Amino acid sequence: MKYIKTVCVAGIVWFSHAAYADSFIQSNLSTLPQYNTALLSNGISLYGVVDVGLNYQSVGGKSLWQMQSGGVHTSQFGFFGREDLGGGLKAVFNLESGFELNNGSLEMSQTLFDREAWVGLSSTTWGDLRVGRQPSANLPDVADPYGEVVTNSVVTWLAGGAVQTRKGIGYNADLGPGSSQVLVRESNAVSWTTPRVAGLGATFLYAFNGTQGVAPYALNEGVVASWTNASLYLAAAYNQVWSTPVATASGTQTVRNDIYGVSAIYDVGTFVLSAAFDQVAPHLAGNGIARSYMLGGILPFGPHALRASFVYRDTSGVRDDAGLPAKDSALGVMLGYDYNLSKRTGLYARAGLIRNYGISSVILNGTPLPTQPGSAAPEQGTTPLTVSLGMYHKF
């Protein structure tokens, strides 16, 4: 399973679609130079984040203490370049690599630029065209107060549907074969982001599956549209995601997943409120449907910031191992505190849990659930818990 790993990927959409002086989100994103459009008009720049912390996890009566990278921001480094071609047109590119600061390994084995690797053209009249590995056309990650970072976000794991089954961990695996999710970024993708007109803008994306003889040619087709006016930002997204070929009652086939989402962010600088809804509906007879609901908030004061998010995931049409309809829902809570030593350096504390109900078996922070005695099936009704203390620095 490819876990969702991100730290401000939404900044690309946020800066092109919503820029206002008093935004708390924008002021934080602007400390990363690849999102500060005023920083560079020509040339190449290096940027990155280093983030590591002490993490405690507990699930099913077992506990773990460890060093963990990426508690607030995925540890990363990248290069971005811009060349002014005149007439409002620029050539642009971005190469970005994630890594584990606690041991120095690559975030994705044998893939150097796992986070971004694209080239394109940017026009003040026609918008932005990009080709390569890039963020998907989905709701902004900043709707989650924790930016959907992989280590300390119940949105990443619960709304993302990271479900453990007998066969392992997969996106929305409890819904049936071929069930999937929108990844934070897609390879082999072409995207176009429109200029913003009267507060309205959109991004369209098409990603090829890159596999010979597998139809359709698409891996993901997506669009996200948004509107902003001063401190309010609204977004709606629709994606069609195709699974790899899987065994079904009708034989081996790819399964299309229709994934809908809406979100709202109210950011006045002194506080941020957000809400989001997401639905995953696989197009396969007998599969279930998952819906997630998120509420979040950030309260900054001086060098401090308090954060909270609440996520509820519910399903319909899900059956247990005996083929009977089953309750399958979960509630997640994440609380956080930040202390900013400067605009680029901060300390943080995080604590969160996911309460699984019925046959739900969603994991948190990548730690597998214990299995049932003599079986590969995970324990049901467990409550994975995580606590982290750490530090980050942006450069």
Side-chain angles (χ1 to χ4, degrees):
M1 172 186 177
K2 292 181 181 178
Y3 296 121
I4 300 176
K5 295 191 175 185
T6 187
V7 55
C8 302
V9 170
I12 296 168
V13 175
W14 189 266
F15 270 93
S16 61
H17 284 181
Y20 42 91
D22 296 328
S23 165
F24 174 79
I25 294 173
Q26 180 179 308
S27 66
N28 278 268
L29 289 175
S30 65
T31 61
L32 293 169
Q34 74 273 38
Y35 302 133
N36 189 340
T37 55
L39 185 65
L40 181 70
S41 58
N42 276 294
I44 299 174
S45 285
L46 169 71
Y47 67 89
V49 183
V50 286
D51 181 321
V52 72
L54 179 64
N55 175 258
Y56 169 80
Q57 297 186 38
S58 174
V59 58
K62 297 182 178 180
S63 60
L64 170 69
W65 285 94
Q66 63 180 346
M67 297 297 295
Q68 194 170 58
S69 179
V72 171
H73 303 283
T74 299
S75 294
Q76 60 186 270
F77 68 90
F79 305 89
F80 73 96
R82 308 288 186 269
E83 181 188 11
D84 194 340
L85 302 175
L89 184 66
K90 291 182 180 180
V92 293
F93 79 88
N94 217 121
L95 301 172
E96 186 173 291
S97 176
F99 61 93
E100 305 296 338
L101 186 63
N102 56 303
N103 59 27
S105 64
L106 290 175
E107 185 180 65
M108 186 180 294
S109 178
Q110 298 182 338
T111 303
L112 178 57
F113 296 113
D114 61 311
R115 295 176 58 80
E116 296 197 42
W118 56 262
V119 65
L121 293 171
S122 177
S123 168
T124 55
T125 303
W126 302 105
D128 293 348
L129 177 68
R130 296 177 177 178
V131 181
R133 183 167 174 81
Q134 58 187 289
S136 55
N138 205 3
L139 300 177
D141 299 335
V142 289
D144 174 14
Y146 304 97
E148 292 189 37
V149 69
V150 72
T151 52
N152 288 311
S153 168
V154 290
V155 175
T156 298
W157 299 96
L158 187 52
V163 175
Q164 182 174 333
T165 68
R166 294 175 182 270
K167 298 180 180 180
I169 299 168
Y171 293 123
N172 297 298
D174 51 346
L175 303 184
S179 301
S180 190
Q181 183 58 274
V182 183
L183 299 180
V184 168
R185 49 188 65 83
E186 291 283 5
S187 297
N188 307 307
V190 179
S191 74
W192 173 52
T193 298
T194 70
R196 184 160 290 275
V197 179
L200 292 171
T203 295
F204 301 84
L205 180 138
Y206 185 97
F208 296 88
N209 64 33
T211 304
Q212 186 177 13
V214 174
Y217 295 121
L219 178 66
N220 173 272
E221 293 177 342
V223 57
V224 56
S226 60
W227 174 86
T228 184
N229 181 15
S231 56
L232 181 62
Y233 182 86
L234 306 177
Y238 171 62
N239 281 262
Q240 292 182 349
V241 177
W242 281 266
S243 71
T244 56
V246 294
T248 70
S250 303
T252 301
Q253 62 178 301
T254 60
V255 177
R256 193 185 92 190
N257 291 256
D258 285 359
I259 303 173
Y260 312 84
V262 293
S263 66
I265 303 172
Y266 184 65
D267 181 353
V268 293
T270 54
F271 66 89
V272 182
L273 298 176
S274 57
F277 167 80
D278 184 77
Q279 175 177 285
V280 178
H283 272 243
L284 184 65
N287 275 24
I289 295 175
R291 302 174 183 87
S292 61
Y293 310 82
M294 189 277 292
L295 293 174
I298 305 174
L299 181 62
F301 53 101
H304 315 277
L306 301 177
R307 301 173 187 262
S309 65
F310 305 87
V311 182
Y312 180 69
R313 179 180 185 265
D314 199 11
T315 63
S316 57
V318 171
R319 297 179 178 274
D320 60 18
D321 291 340
L324 300 175
K327 178 177 176 59
D328 180 31
S329 61
L331 175 67
V333 179
M334 182 67 67
L335 303 176
Y337 167 72
D338 300 333
Y339 181 77
N340 297 312
L341 298 171
S342 71
K343 288 186 176 182
R344 295 186 294 137
T345 303
L347 308 175
Y348 61 85
R350 301 287 187 265
L353 59 84
I354 292 177
R355 177 68 174 95
N356 286 294
Y357 300 99
I359 67 168
S360 178
S361 53
V362 178
I363 68 171
L364 177 61
N365 273 19
T367 300
L369 306 178
T371 56
Q372 299 176 18
S375 170
E379 290 282 0
Q380 298 168 351
T382 58
T383 303
L385 178 147
T386 183
V387 178
S388 295
L389 296 172
M391 173 182 177
Y392 66 83
H393 173 74
K394 306 173 188 178
F395 60 90

